[in-house]
Amino acid sequence: MADLSKRLPHNVPGEFFVDDTCIGCDQCREVAPGVFRDAGGEATVHRQPDTAALRTSALQALLTCPVGSIGTLHRPELKAAIASFPLPVDENVFFCGYSSRNSFGASSYLIRREGGNVLMDSPRFTGPLVRRLEELGGVRWMILSHIDDIADHARFRRHFGCERVLHQREIRSGIADIEHQPTGDEPVSLDSELLLIPTPGHTRGHQVLLYRDRYLFSGDHLWYSPVRRRLAASRRHCWYSWPEQIESMERLRSRRFEWVLPGHGRRHHATAAGMQRSLTACIRWMKPVD
């Protein structure tokens, strides 16, 4: 829980606040944009929740925060907010919440389906979420986009017996027992709905997941920038190769998708044609000027 004595000065007065342990992961602004906003790399409360909907979203953000930097003056009733997770995104796709500090607050998603539920990247292993996942049918696959966002993968494996998938180039000592380690740069079909697409660049073995040619779970490869109003990537946080990330982005132009669901950064929904235009604009920005 956040420490009132460390409350950031940008917070407006009232019940909710953010303290100085905030790591700027952006989760609270994604979950409750009506309450939280950016204040120079840290989150802050810009509006105290004055409706039931805003209060619920603020409590959902509190539960999602990976470092416990969101607090309240009085002990909140969390039962309804806890029961709301995982949060619906679209159709059978859900946002897990409960981000982990071990993945710097990366988003994790659940796909509910008859062929076995899928976790995309790892949320925090916490009792309320685990029990809810059990109620929803457990976890068959755990797709890990890259080494930075594996968080509590081993605990989910032990509990659910799920099969983890991480590209071989991301394997390090201590995680050599990952069940599936795709190699190379060619897409890999797990079944008729799930396509793994290697996207080296951010890291050497980064991969994205395309589900039903509609949902692109993009890890840290691609996200939506509200400022630029288009899809975006980060050269500053490209840990392996910017030229290879551009090539990986180019390969996505042959794929159809209507949702971008990243590990870090904002989600985005558009028509398939709109996504292609936005992706083309992103690639044009990424390429060096001759």
Side-chain angles (χ1 to χ4, degrees):
M1 201 67 172
D3 186 341
L4 183 60
S5 68
K6 297 180 180 179
R7 177 177 180 150
L8 291 169
H10 313 291
N11 293 280
V12 298
E15 181 69 15
F16 283 80
F17 65 92
V18 179
D19 74 12
D20 65 7
T21 62
C22 175
I23 59 174
C25 71
D26 204 40
Q27 285 289 8
C28 64
R29 298 188 290 276
E30 177 77 27
V31 174
V35 176
F36 301 95
R37 70 180 178 192
D38 177 69
E42 297 169 320
T44 189
V45 175
H46 73 95
R47 173 186 175 183
Q48 291 293 336
D50 51 9
T51 67
L54 284 176
R55 182 173 177 81
T56 296
S57 67
L59 292 173
Q60 290 167 340
L62 183 152
L63 292 169
T64 296
C65 179
V67 292
S69 63
I70 300 173
T72 56
L73 298 182
H74 304 91
R75 186 178 182 87
E77 173 51 63
L78 292 171
K79 185 176 181 179
I82 289 171
S84 68
F85 285 101
L87 303 178
V89 174
D90 184 64
E91 296 185 357
N92 60 328
V93 174
F94 300 82
F95 168 65
C96 292
Y98 295 101
S99 295
S100 171
R101 72 165 62 230
N102 294 329
S103 61
F104 200 80
S107 294
S108 176
Y109 302 92
L110 171 71
I111 307 172
R112 289 193 69 194
R113 59 191 208 115
E114 291 183 2
N117 293 345
V118 178
L119 267 183
M120 180 66 196
D121 284 325
S122 176
R124 196 183 333 146
F125 189 92
T126 186
L129 178 62
V130 170
R131 288 190 290 273
R132 184 64 180 135
L133 292 176
E134 291 171 343
E135 294 170 0
L136 295 173
V139 181
R140 167 73 175 84
W141 294 99
M142 184 174 223
I143 312 300
L144 301 167
S145 62
H146 65 301
I147 189 68
D148 297 338
D149 293 352
I150 65 176
D152 291 337
H153 70 103
R155 299 184 70 183
F156 282 98
R157 163 66 181 173
R158 288 194 295 270
H159 188 87
F160 289 105
C162 53
E163 296 185 50
R164 298 162 295 175
V165 186
L166 180 66
H167 198 282
Q168 191 275 331
R169 294 175 186 143
E170 299 293 281
I171 300 300
R172 308 287 190 273
S173 62
I175 57 171
D177 62 343
I178 295 260
E179 290 70 35
H180 299 277
Q181 302 177 22
T183 60
D185 292 325
E186 292 302 313
V188 175
S189 294
L190 296 180
D191 58 31
S192 61
E193 294 184 324
L194 301 170
L195 182 68
L196 291 172
I197 305 173
T199 50
H202 174 72
T203 61
R204 188 166 179 257
H206 193 286
Q207 62 185 359
V208 300
L209 173 67
L210 182 59
Y211 171 55
R212 294 193 326 196
D213 291 331
R214 179 170 167 79
Y215 305 94
L216 185 73
F217 297 89
S218 58
D220 289 355
H221 178 67
L222 180 69
W223 62 87
Y224 181 75
S225 168
V227 175
R228 297 190 177 108
R229 298 185 179 181
R230 60 161 171 77
L231 297 174
S234 174
R235 186 162 192 167
R236 178 183 178 188
H237 297 107
C238 179
W239 311 131
Y240 173 60
S241 169
W242 188 246
E244 287 202 33
Q245 189 161 352
I246 294 172
E247 291 180 14
S248 297
M249 209 73 76
E250 290 273 17
R251 286 195 291 272
L252 288 180
R253 295 176 71 176
S254 65
R255 303 293 175 181
R256 185 186 188 280
F257 53 91
E258 299 173 9
W259 281 88
V260 167
L261 301 164
H264 289 102
R266 297 296 177 91
R267 301 190 284 269
H268 186 53
H269 178 222
T271 65
M275 281 293 190
Q276 286 299 314
R277 288 192 296 270
S278 190
L279 181 59
T280 298
C282 174
I283 293 169
R284 187 182 303 120
W285 171 83
M286 292 175 74
K287 288 184 175 180
V289 177
D290 294 331

